[in-house]
Amino acid sequence: MPTSTVQGSSHDDGQPTRLSVVMAVLNAAENILPVCQELADTFGADPSVEILAIDDGSTDATVKKLLEARQTLLPRLRIISHPKRLGKSAALRTGITAAKGQWIATIDGDGQDDPSAILKMLDQATSAPGTAPLVVGVRRKRNDRLSRRIATRLANGLRRRLLNDGCPDTGAPLKLFSRDLFLKIPQFEGVHRFLPALLGHYGAPLICIEVQHRARLHGSSKYTNFNRALVGIRDLLGVMWLQNRTHLPDHLTEH
C-alpha cells in the first residue's frame, strides 16, 4: 500500500478514511461477486479505505448479490440504491456525496478494470505538489469490439481538440480525484466523461497512467455507439459553454 496519508472523515472505529472507492452498478448481478472479490483482495485489509456500491435502479439481483458480497467478502461495503435508473453520473455523485474519504476513486462494476491500479493512482496523487490532481487510468489496449474502439477513439479526439483537456481517454472508468473539488463542479448526466476539462478548469493538474483493460465478465454495455455519439455531442457543447461562462480568480486577497 502507498505510505502517504490523507486526513479525512473517520470510520466508526476512529480510523481516518483516506480513500473512498465508488462503483456505480446497473443490472450487474453476475459481475458483483468476482468484482467484489478483487476489491477485497486489494483493499479489504486496509481500514482507511471504504468501498461504496451505488445501485442505479437495477431490476435484477444486483442488490441481493451486493448484500451477499458484504456478508462474505467486504464486511464494510456500503450499499446505496436509487429508486429508479438515474444514470451513471447521478450514481457516482450519490456515492461521492456519501463518501468519507478525501480522495475518490471511481471504478466500473463489469470487471474490465483492475482495482489494484488504484493503489498506483493514489500514490501518484498524494505525492503530487500543489493542487490535488486528477489521475486518469488510460486504457491503452481496449478490450472491446472494434466498432466501439473506433467510436471511442473518434469521440476522445473530438473532445480533446475542442476542450483542449490534454487527456487521451476522457471516458476511462478508473479516475482518482479530490472529493471536495468534484463537488464544486456543475453536475449533469455525463459529467464523468468530462472530468479532465471540468476539474482542470478548477485548477486540478492532470496525471495519466496506463492501466490494464480486460474483457467484460458478463453482460454488455448499456449504451450503443449511436446513442453515445448523440448524447456526447450535446454534452460536449454544454461543457464548452460552461468553460466559457465560468470565471474563477487566479488568487484571492482578504483585507
Side-chain angles (χ1 to χ4, degrees), residues 90-228:
L92 290 175
R93 180 171 174 81
T94 293
I96 293 166
T97 301
K100 299 175 182 178
Q102 179 176 343
W103 293 104
I104 301 292
T106 61
I107 187 171
D108 274 357
D110 55 15
Q112 290 191 282
D113 304 317
D114 181 355
S116 67
I118 294 173
L119 301 178
K120 181 179 178 180
M121 295 168 73
L122 180 62
D123 191 43
Q124 291 277 329
T126 55
S127 61
T131 303
L134 165 66
V135 184
V136 177
V138 176
R139 302 164 292 181
R140 291 298 182 188
K141 295 182 179 180
R142 294 288 301 272
N143 205 318
D144 286 319
R145 299 187 308 273
L146 178 61
S147 61
R148 186 168 182 184
R149 295 200 305 268
I150 293 173
T152 300
R153 189 176 301 118
L154 292 173
N156 278 323
L158 181 62
R159 278 195 289 262
R160 190 163 64 247
R161 177 172 298 180
L162 294 180
L163 298 179
N164 193 30
D165 60 16
C167 184
D169 190 9
T170 58
L174 280 173
K175 295 186 177 76
L176 188 140
F177 46 85
S178 160
R179 175 183 181 273
D180 290 345
L181 190 57
F182 174 87
L183 294 177
K184 288 181 179 180
I185 65 175
Q187 298 301 310
F188 57 92
E189 184 51 39
V191 69
H192 61 279
R193 296 194 299 271
F194 296 95
L195 290 186
L198 293 169
L199 293 181
H201 200 68
Y202 279 74
L206 175 65
I207 299 175
C208 294
I209 66 171
E210 186 174 339
V211 298
Q212 180 185 10
H213 189 246
R214 306 176 297 196
R216 188 183 301 269
L217 290 177
H218 301 281
S220 59
S221 173
K222 306 302 186 294
Y223 298 94
T224 65
N225 292 331
F226 180 70
N227 62 30
R228 278 178 184 272

Side-chain angles (χ1 to χ4, degrees), residues 22-50:
V22 178
M23 176 176 66
V25 291
L26 172 64
N27 294 333
E30 292 180 297
N31 298 327
I32 294 300
L33 292 181
V35 169
C36 285
Q37 179 65 67
E38 281 199 298
L39 289 168
D41 292 342
T42 304
F43 303 110
D46 188 343
S48 71
V49 179
E50 66 172 357

Side-chain angles (χ1 to χ4, degrees), residues 244-255:
N244 183 258
R245 300 301 294 169
T246 302
H247 304 292
L248 302 170
D250 295 331
H251 66 278
L252 299 174
T253 302
E254 182 175 351
H255 301 282

Side-chain angles (χ1 to χ4, degrees), residues 57-77:
S58 294
T59 56
D60 66 355
T62 291
V63 173
K64 179 180 178 181
K65 290 296 183 181
L66 286 170
L67 291 169
E68 181 180 341
R70 184 165 66 188
Q71 182 70 27
T72 60
L73 300 171
L74 286 167
R76 291 182 289 109
L77 175 66

